[in-house]
Amino acid sequence: MVLQANHLLTLQAFLALPPGEGDITYELIDGQAVPKMFLKKFHSSLTRAFLFLLCPEFEGRGEVYPELGIALTWQGRDWVLTPDLVYISYERLPASWQENTVCPVPPDLAIEIISPGQTFGQLAAKARAYLDANVLRVWVVDSKARSITVFYPDAPPQTYMGNTLLTDKLFEGLAFTAEQVFQKAGIPLG
């Protein structure tokens, strides 16, 4: 369900909308308020596993947030998305930023976990849009395939599975395998 408006919503109009009923989170896409899917156990477990993995690695360099809305401009339009996790370096957003609103800058990293009803193709298109909006890296996580696909602004995507080590020159010192994440999340094989 989309919150229909007689006109396209601006960022200011979107942020002024009343909260959704229950725990519904909305994203601003193509001028419309679109509800985000609710989370299930595997999705939440993967979010927790990434928090445990990333928070210590990025301590002192930036912040890791689950479900933080980020305000972006894409194809000349306001866009507010709520990735499953984001990492924002202090270079992009100083530690002194203390506003209780959506993040005003593109994150260094956006992580999207495929939910039931979503396809890899849909999230791959979303990843490319993130990159076009100046997000530096996007990870698409597929619990069924037990894979993490990394999208780069200047190279083809690369998929990590099993015990292949995921490293990235952008995140110095970070090294882990997809299997470590899925095991930490308690995602069963098959």
Side-chain angles (χ1 to χ4, degrees):
M1 175 170 93
V2 174
L3 279 184
Q4 295 293 330
N6 293 335
H7 59 283
L8 298 179
L9 293 171
T10 64
L11 176 61
Q12 294 74 22
F14 174 75
L15 294 176
L17 288 174
E21 292 183 29
D23 290 334
I24 297 174
T25 299
Y26 288 93
E27 297 179 313
L28 177 62
I29 301 173
D30 291 329
Q32 301 292 319
V34 179
K36 188 168 175 168
M37 301 184 102
F38 67 92
L39 307 180
K40 294 187 177 178
K41 182 182 180 203
F42 289 173
H43 194 288
S44 292
S45 295
L46 281 165
T47 300
R48 184 186 66 222
F50 276 111
L51 280 170
F52 286 147
L53 174 75
L54 298 177
C55 285
E57 288 294 328
F58 293 138
E59 188 173 347
R61 297 190 282 173
E63 299 288 340
V64 179
Y65 297 101
E67 298 289 322
L68 176 64
I70 54 172
L72 301 169
T73 302
W74 183 62
Q75 295 184 340
R77 285 195 168 155
D78 292 329
W79 194 38
V80 177
L81 290 182
T82 307
D84 295 306
L85 287 128
V86 294
Y87 163 65
I88 307 162
S89 69
Y90 292 141
E91 292 173 3
R92 287 195 161 210
L93 189 66
S96 61
W97 185 73
Q98 295 297 320
E99 302 296 321
N100 190 25
T101 187
V102 297
C103 179
V105 299
D108 299 72
L109 171 65
I111 301 174
E112 291 282 0
I113 301 168
I114 299 174
S115 296
Q118 292 179 313
T119 66
F120 179 83
Q122 289 170 323
L123 287 185
K126 195 174 188 181
R128 287 187 289 279
Y130 276 125
L131 295 172
D132 289 344
N134 296 316
V135 175
L136 300 178
R137 294 289 185 278
V138 182
W139 297 352
V140 173
V141 182
D142 186 338
S143 63
K144 288 183 180 176
R146 296 177 80 83
S147 67
I148 301 168
T149 301
V150 179
F151 290 82
Y152 306 90
D154 55 355
Q158 186 169 352
T159 299
Y160 294 86
M161 299 174 79
N163 291 315
T164 302
L165 198 60
L166 190 159
T167 61
D168 191 318
K169 64 182 178 181
L170 184 63
F171 309 122
E172 189 176 319
L174 184 66
F176 64 93
T177 69
E179 194 54 34
Q180 286 173 315
V181 174
F182 290 106
Q183 284 181 8
K184 180 79 170 168
I187 307 294
L189 289 169

